[in-house]
Amino acid sequence: VQLQASGGGVVQAGGSLRLSCVASGSGFSINELGWYRQPIGKLRALVASITSGDSTNYADSVKGRFTISRDNAKDTVYLQMNSLKPEDTAVYYCYIEYTRDGWRRSVWGQGTLVTVSS
């Protein structure tokens, strides 16, 4: 399974961006999808996640501003980011936890840079 993330860019504070991440491969079932972010010089941290049952989880810092969603038919997860702040600037990584042949595995996408200017 591979992930391809897109949608990063430069936006002014208060603006919006939507990140997308497509999973490709065969013979797998998705358990969970999500996004982490890593600001320069800091640790990677969870932003949001969504399970196969559509349960969502958000970091406190993004609650009410970011929305995670998924399109099962396209094996795609989205992160709608509104009211962006300079502190949201980071490389955003999508991930997938899946099951194939009875084994649970996790894979990370390549990262997409989000820059929020003040």
Side-chain angles (χ1 to χ4, degrees):
V1 175
Q2 293 183 321
L3 298 176
Q4 181 67 46
S6 61
V10 180
V11 63
Q12 288 189 333
S16 298
L17 281 175
R18 189 176 81 154
L19 305 183
S20 301
C21 183
V22 182
S24 60
S26 62
F28 67 97
S29 61
I30 297 173
N31 302 320
E32 185 173 293
L33 294 160
W35 295 90
Y36 276 67
R37 68 185 180 186
Q38 186 168 17
I40 295 175
K42 297 186 178 181
L43 296 175
R44 193 177 299 188
L46 177 69
V47 176
S49 63
I50 184 167
T51 68
S52 57
D54 288 334
S55 294
T56 58
N57 183 41
Y58 294 93
D60 288 343
S61 59
V62 307
K63 285 180 180 177
R65 299 189 298 122
F66 291 11
T67 302
I68 189 169
S69 62
R70 57 188 290 178
D71 184 331
N72 294 328
K74 298 180 179 179
D75 287 335
T76 300
V77 62
Y78 304 98
L79 186 67
Q80 178 66 44
M81 305 185 294
N82 299 328
S83 302
L84 282 161
K85 304 175 181 179
E87 52 263 43
D88 294 318
T89 296
V91 177
Y92 284 70
Y93 298 90
C94 59
Y95 76 91
I96 179 174
E97 183 186 289
Y98 65 95
T99 299
R100 184 165 62 187
D101 300 326
W103 293 92
R104 295 173 70 98
R105 294 180 174 88
S106 296
V107 171
W108 292 89
Q110 84 280 14
T112 184
L113 178 62
V114 172
T115 302
V116 184
S117 61
S118 58

